[in-house]
């Protein structure tokens, strides 16, 4: 359920007609619905009612501070992968004891920052990282709470770039080596073992891979118990998919039901790290048709947003539904929707049947709330676009559009070159 619906052939976000927003702020822009964000978070969280859990929103999907603040106010924790995400999370009002830190390449300054702030736990991804965290905790006179991110060798049946729980992926430690890892961690003075973690991939549209992973984790949990290592937190990562077109991923309630079934007999606090399922369908990218043109074999619609604004179609051949913001007629065309970047891979849709778009028309690139703005760049010295949020009949700018001066903000010309 989301709040981007047509009324009299005009696309609205909640009660605001999108053309009104475009007229005021220009295009392109990201647009989020406050009610949808809230609804998605609460639906996911409440699906786990009855069990002890902490939903840690995965910041990488969307790190706008206003959106983070909303989730903090709803009781969310945070899944971070960098010092920057920790910084933003704290600024947004998350308490450190609800923050977990994953990622294969944590730097010393980032580890120190997290230790000083007192985060809930580090999800350790290698034995070398374990030793470094112990050393840093010793220097700072702290104890680091940790879990190991284990790699259960489960095929999540998703795009290879976003499958993370296979042996050949760089993530976590091999599940067969985990016992050794935990034994070593137990010897370390500045480490406290509290959890067991995995994350098998993203945009997963079946329940089975999650269940396979939990079954592996549970058997590891029991083995650890037998050697007197007691796990308090079981973190099963994120990864639940969303419908971009005709996929029908499990609903949060089905997902929660399956998980509850598997963990009901073990006394752990469950941690979840959802990203996309919360924000993906809560946001869209709005852009404008600049030109139409055709070659002998193709028809192109050139819009003012490109791969630097939304990289998912170029990077993963990801499908995003394209909707006209104003439905003018029922005629349809088959086109490539492309951006202004000088790369053939710069497209938002290929060979797509869309409404008969004309110069000046607005289009909505749906399901862009996750890994949309979060992955945008200044490629081709393009200005990063603004983000807006609608609540009821009001819209608010939650990030301003960059201006040309921003492009030079951190650049320097050395004296000798002047
Ligand atoms: N936890 C960890 C450790 C992760 O690596 C990720 C995502 C998540 C949680 C959240 O996963 P989600 O619930 O959003 O599936 N840029 C790609 C997705 C990369 C996902 C990376 N890790 C895309 O646009 O599809």
């Amino acid at each position: 359920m989301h709040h981007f619906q047509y009324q009299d052939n005009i696309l609205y976000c909640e009660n605001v007609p999108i053309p009104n927003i475009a007229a005021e702020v220009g295009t392109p822009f990201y647009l989020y619905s406050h009610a949808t964000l809230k609804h998605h978070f609460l639906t996911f969280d409440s699906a786990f009612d009855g069990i002890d859990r902490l939903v840690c929103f995965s910041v990488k999907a969307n790190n706008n501070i206003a959106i983070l603040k909303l989730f903090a106010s709803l009781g969310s924790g945070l899944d971070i992968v960098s010092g920057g995400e920790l910084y933003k999370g704290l600024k947004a009002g998350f308490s450190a004891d609800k923050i977990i830190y994953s990622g294969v390449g944590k730097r010393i300054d980032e580890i120190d920052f997290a230790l000083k702030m007192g985060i809930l736990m580090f999800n350790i991804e290698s034995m070398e990282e374990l030793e470094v965290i112990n050393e840093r905790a010793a220097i700072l006179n702290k104890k680091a709470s940790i879990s190991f991110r284990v790699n259960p060798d489960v095929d999540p049946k998703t795009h290879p770039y976003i499958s993370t729980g296979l042996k050949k992926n760089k993530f976590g430690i091999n599940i067969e080596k985990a016992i050794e890892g935990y034994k070593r961690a137990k010897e370390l003075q500045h480490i406290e073992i509290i959890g067991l973690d995995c994350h098998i991939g993203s945009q997963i549209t079946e329940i089975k891979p999650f269940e396979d992973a939990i079954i592996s984790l549970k058997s590891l949990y029991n083995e650890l118990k037998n050697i007197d290592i007691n796990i308090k937190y079981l973190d099963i990562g994120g990864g639940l998919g969303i419908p971009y077109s005709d996929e029908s991923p499990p609903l949060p309630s089905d997902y929660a039901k399956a998980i509850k079934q598997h963990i009901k007999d073990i006394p752990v606090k469950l941690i979840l790290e959802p990203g996309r399922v919360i924000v993906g369908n809560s946001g869209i990218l709005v852009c404008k048709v600049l030109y139409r043109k055709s070659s002998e074999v193709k028809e192109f619609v050139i819009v003012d947003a490109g791969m630097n604004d939304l990289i998912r179609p170029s990077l993963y051949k990801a499908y995003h539904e394209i909707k006209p913001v104003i439905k003018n007629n029922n005629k349809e065309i088959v086109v490539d929707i492309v951006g202004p970047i000088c790369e053939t891979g710069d497209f938002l849709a290929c060979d797509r049947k869309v409404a008969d778009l004309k110069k000046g028309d607005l289009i909505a690139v749906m399901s862009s709330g996750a890994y949309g703005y979060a992955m945008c760049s200044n490629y081709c010295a393009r200005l990063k676009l603004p983000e807006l949020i609608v609540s009821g009949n009001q819209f608010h700018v939650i990030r301003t559009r960059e201006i040309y001066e921003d492009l030079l903000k951190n650049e320097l010309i050395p004296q000798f070159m002047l």
Side-chain angles (χ1 to χ4, degrees), residues 175-214:
I175 195 153
E176 289 115 44
K177 298 265 170 66
I179 295 277
E180 262 169 62
Y182 275 100
K183 282 185 182 158
R184 173 66 186 146
K186 204 177 170 188
E187 291 168 7
L188 298 173
Q189 268 200 349
H190 290 269
I191 294 289
E192 188 181 354
I193 299 168
I194 62 167
L196 174 54
D197 164 52
C198 79
H199 168 79
I200 56 171
S202 198
Q203 184 54 14
I204 299 170
T205 53
E206 295 169 35
I207 287 193
K208 177 112 184 348
F210 292 113
E211 291 193 295
D212 291 348
I214 293 177

Side-chain angles (χ1 to χ4, degrees), residues 58 60-61 79 81 102-103 123 125 149 161-162 164 171 197-199 201-204 237-241 244 273-277 312 315-316 370-372 375:
S58 193
K60 60 181 80 64
D79 160 47
V81 285
S102 313
N123 288 337
E125 305 225 15
R149 174 171 176 179
Y161 284 14
I162 52 176
T164 49
F171 299 97
D197 164 52
C198 79
H199 168 79
S202 198
Q203 184 54 14
I204 299 170
L240 186 58
Y244 282 95
E273 306 172 357
R276 188 188 319 262
V277 69
R312 303 194 71 258
L315 191 56
Y316 316 113
Y371 309 106
M375 293 175 81

Side-chain angles (χ1 to χ4, degrees), residues 120-136:
L120 175 58
M121 69 183 177
F122 290 88
N123 288 337
I124 304 248
E125 305 225 15
S126 66
M127 294 310 292
E128 291 196 356
E129 180 192 333
L130 174 71
E131 301 294 334
V132 169
I133 290 183
N134 181 57
E135 275 164 36
R136 298 313 302 173

Side-chain angles (χ1 to χ4, degrees), residues 12-25:
Y12 277 62
C13 178
E14 301 189 18
N15 300 325
V16 181
I18 293 173
N20 294 11
I21 304 177
E24 229 170 284
V25 303

Side-chain angles (χ1 to χ4, degrees), residues 33-185:
S33 150
H34 185 270
T36 311
L37 289 163
K38 189 170 169 187
H39 173 72
H40 284 177
F41 181 83
L42 294 177
T43 303
F44 188 90
D45 188 37
S46 63
F48 291 90
D49 276 353
I51 58 167
D52 195 11
R53 87 286 185 176
L54 178 63
V55 173
C56 291
F57 173 66
S58 193
V59 197
K60 60 181 80 64
N62 191 311
N63 65 42
N64 184 287
I65 191 153
I67 290 175
L68 295 183
K69 198 165 171 41
L70 167 65
F71 296 143
S73 76
L74 298 175
S76 179
L78 221 52
D79 160 47
I80 61 162
V81 285
S82 70
E85 290 188 348
L86 176 54
Y87 173 81
K88 289 193 83 173
L90 294 170
K91 288 281 179 197
F94 285 89
S95 65
D97 62 4
K98 282 185 168 180
I99 298 181
I100 53 172
Y101 188 176
S102 313
V104 293
K106 304 177 186 80
R107 287 195 318 256
I108 283 179
D109 61 299
E110 294 175 309
I111 292 169
D112 286 0
F113 183 22
L115 283 169
K116 284 180 194 155
M117 292 300 122
I119 63 163
L120 175 58
M121 69 183 177
F122 290 88
N123 288 337
I124 304 248
E125 305 225 15
S126 66
M127 294 310 292
E128 291 196 356
E129 180 192 333
L130 174 71
E131 301 294 334
V132 169
I133 290 183
N134 181 57
E135 275 164 36
R136 298 313 302 173
I139 290 166
L140 296 171
N141 203 16
K142 303 262 182 204
K143 211 152 186 173
S145 299
I146 65 115
S147 75
F148 275 100
R149 174 171 176 179
V150 298
N151 187 332
D153 198 26
V154 165
D155 183 356
K157 304 203 177 66
T158 184
H159 191 288
Y161 284 14
I162 52 176
S163 94
T164 49
L166 287 169
K167 269 191 180 149
K168 64 180 179 190
N169 300 138
K170 69 176 175 179
F171 299 97
I173 62 167
N174 188 328
I175 195 153
E176 289 115 44
K177 298 265 170 66
I179 295 277
E180 262 169 62
Y182 275 100
K183 282 185 182 158
R184 173 66 186 146

